[in-house]
Amino acid sequence: ILFNVIGSILLASFIFLPVAGGAEQKGAEESVKRMNSALLESMKRGDEIGFRGRHKLLSPVIRDVFALPFMGEVTLGRYWKGLSPEQRKLFLDTYTDWTISSYAGNFDSYSGEKFEIQGGEESRGDNVAVVSNLVRPNEDNIDFYYTLRRFQDKWRIVDIRIEGVSQLALTRAQFVSVMKKTGFDGLIASLHEKISLLKNKNKSGK
């Protein structure tokens, strides 16, 4: 599978406490399992359906299992409060497209991989952690530590830690830096450029 997990899936860190999750944990695991299933289908059908097909396949799942509005607001830090309603909508639309494109552009081929839910731990408050392993033949496994939060009685992903790195915190550091240097228009332009690169990653994407 051809993707840079840490660099390409750039999705607030949480301290995890070893407490049993029970029924709540099961509900959170179902959201992760749904995401895993969609990613696996995207990988298996990668060449067949191309980038656009993978984007279309993953879009409804990612929009449903991720708390994208919450995550988008977090990534802008203090800059979020200074945006107009129109700017907020434009940013969230672009952020959502970039998130989906990142998965569509990187989970694009299959070499016998599979996902396994290892279990998880309930963290402070309403947050729950679910550990999912990407098992790769002849390669080291990759552990995804998903953090989920309950939004209107539904568990949604708010962060992923890979090799101890919070993807949401990493994205926030990058976005805040761009906002400081080039402002809102510069950030939007940067995201559009990243999306374009993902679309053109291979010529089979249609």
Side-chain angles (χ1 to χ4, degrees), residues 26 42 47 54 86 118 141 144 158 170 203:
K26 183 178 180 180
S42 176
D47 290 336
R54 297 192 301 272
E86 293 76 16
Q118 190 179 71
N141 296 346
F144 296 82
V158 295
L170 182 58
K203 298 302 182 181

Side-chain angles (χ1 to χ4, degrees), residues 84-153:
S84 67
E86 293 76 16
Q87 287 177 319
R88 289 182 179 184
K89 183 181 185 306
L90 174 59
F91 170 73
L92 289 177
D93 288 345
T94 308
Y95 173 78
T96 297
D97 188 16
W98 169 68
T99 300
I100 298 168
S101 295
S102 294
Y103 283 99
N106 290 290
F107 285 83
D108 57 353
S109 62
Y110 181 71
S111 303
E113 296 86 357
K114 63 179 180 179
F115 289 96
E116 294 180 348
I117 299 293
Q118 190 179 71
E121 301 170 334
E122 183 180 356
S123 68
R124 64 188 183 213
D126 291 328
N127 299 320
V128 169
V130 175
V131 183
S132 178
N133 307 120
L134 175 60
V135 181
R136 304 183 297 174
N138 305 315
E139 294 186 70
D140 292 337
N141 296 346
I142 299 175
D143 298 331
F144 296 82
Y145 292 80
Y146 288 91
T147 298
L148 298 94
R149 177 177 296 186
R150 190 192 297 276
F151 291 86
Q152 298 178 342
D153 296 326

